[in-house]
Amino acid sequence: MRSQKLIAQKITTANADYILSLKDNHLTLHQQVKNWFDIAQSLGFKDVDVNLSQRLEKGHHRIENRQIYTVPVSQLPALHEQDLWAGLTTVVMVVRSIQHWNKTTQEVQFYISSLTSDANFHWQRDSTALGD
């Protein structure tokens, strides 16, 4: 986990931006972001500066509906070791609903980013990063 913080530092020092996936190796931060999105979503993101982008893709015998939610970090309570993530400005939730011919699955993935909270911008600029 420390190495990703160093990578984020190097990226921002080079005047670039990052989108980093939150997985089990960021257990506390991942759980914190997940819990916050669960609560905010259940309240309809009331009084939250949320940005949403939706995209529908068809191909490879499936239909994928992807919703990207971005929220400025300032909207959340202090995150675990937040000050160690250089340039951290946004948390992202990507919800994928994938319909195959015989079943539908849903996946939810969380990210942290140094980009501004603009779901369309995140999608256009970093669709490969959000496709993890």
Side-chain angles (χ1 to χ4, degrees):
M1 185 161 157
R2 178 80 177 132
S3 64
Q4 284 201 329
K5 290 174 187 164
L6 293 173
I7 290 168
Q9 177 65 49
K10 288 181 180 184
I11 290 170
T12 56
T13 298
N15 294 320
D17 291 298
Y18 62 84
I19 299 175
L20 298 173
S21 179
L22 291 178
K23 296 182 180 178
D24 290 340
N25 59 334
H26 308 284
L27 191 56
T28 302
L29 182 58
H30 178 272
Q31 194 61 50
Q32 217 178 356
V33 171
K34 179 189 180 309
N35 290 345
W36 185 88
F37 269 108
D38 286 347
I39 291 167
Q41 195 171 28
S42 73
L43 299 173
F45 292 100
K46 185 176 177 359
D47 300 324
V48 174
D49 181 15
V50 64
N51 196 280
L52 171 63
S53 176
Q54 186 164 328
R55 184 174 182 108
L56 185 67
E57 294 182 356
K58 297 177 182 180
H60 304 342
H61 306 290
R62 67 182 190 176
I63 300 170
E64 182 174 337
N65 182 9
R66 186 177 297 182
Q67 296 174 321
I68 302 170
Y69 299 82
T70 64
V71 177
V73 170
S74 61
Q75 297 283 299
L76 285 75
L79 296 172
H80 178 70
E81 298 184 340
Q82 179 176 335
D83 57 331
L84 299 179
W85 292 97
L88 177 60
T89 59
T90 303
V91 291
V92 180
M93 177 175 71
V94 177
V95 180
R96 293 178 195 85
S97 178
I98 304 168
Q99 181 181 355
H100 300 276
W101 67 275
N102 62 345
K103 68 176 179 175
T104 300
T105 60
Q106 184 164 315
E107 303 169 359
V108 180
Q109 181 66 51
F110 301 97
Y111 301 84
I112 57 174
S113 176
S114 62
L115 292 165
T116 59
S117 180
D118 181 343
N120 287 308
F121 182 72
H122 274 72
W123 172 255
Q124 292 169 2
R125 184 164 170 181
D126 296 289
S127 61
T128 56
L130 295 177
D132 283 356

